[in-house]
Amino acid sequence: MSPIKIVIIAGLLYFGYRLLISDWKKKRGKGEENPSKEMPQDGQVEDVLVEDPICHKLVPKQQAIRLKQRGAEGYNYFCSEECCNLFVSQTGEKE
Ligand SMILES: [Zn+2]
């Protein structure tokens, strides 16, 4: 094998290697973009605490059970369905 052929083959290998690396970096770059965009949507956007009127626990608004207030435009928030049901049975039967 002549030295020139070795140089050409080495050059081709290097070129192919560079192509592979740049392609791989592009794919990795795209892969890293998505999780960082999805992260804020996963719950950190509206991280407001609301108080459960039954047990007075503070619950993240997104996880709380929401119940429309009677005769008002607001909502009551509960930590669990049990508290929600308790609230309905307490306030609903008074009418
Ligand atoms: Zn509760």
Side-chain angles (χ1 to χ4, degrees):
M1 201 182 261
S2 68
I4 293 170
K5 270 190 182 173
I6 291 173
V7 169
I8 290 170
I9 289 169
L12 282 174
L13 281 175
Y14 178 70
F15 188 67
Y17 172 76
R18 285 291 300 271
L19 272 178
L20 270 175
I21 291 295
S22 66
D23 222 46
W24 182 65
K25 274 186 183 170
K26 270 185 211 164
K27 278 177 191 167
R28 272 198 65 184
K30 279 178 188 171
E32 282 167 4
E33 256 179 47
N34 287 335
S36 62
K37 275 183 185 173
E38 282 168 15
M39 280 287 276
Q41 293 175 349
D42 266 14
Q44 294 289 320
V45 176
E46 199 182 0
D47 198 13
V48 184
L49 289 176
V50 286
E51 194 181 340
D52 185 323
I54 298 298
C55 66
H56 299 283
K57 220 187 269 179
L58 290 176
V59 200
K61 201 173 184 177
Q62 285 196 327
Q63 292 171 31
I65 290 164
R66 198 170 68 166
L67 180 77
K68 202 165 190 321
Q69 287 177 344
R70 287 190 175 208
E73 283 188 28
Y75 288 92
N76 286 309
Y77 296 93
F78 305 93
C79 68
S80 65
E81 271 187 58
E82 283 177 41
C83 285
C84 182
N85 291 336
L86 212 70
F87 183 84
V88 171
S89 66
Q90 278 182 8
T91 58
E93 287 173 5
K94 283 179 184 172
E95 276 193 349

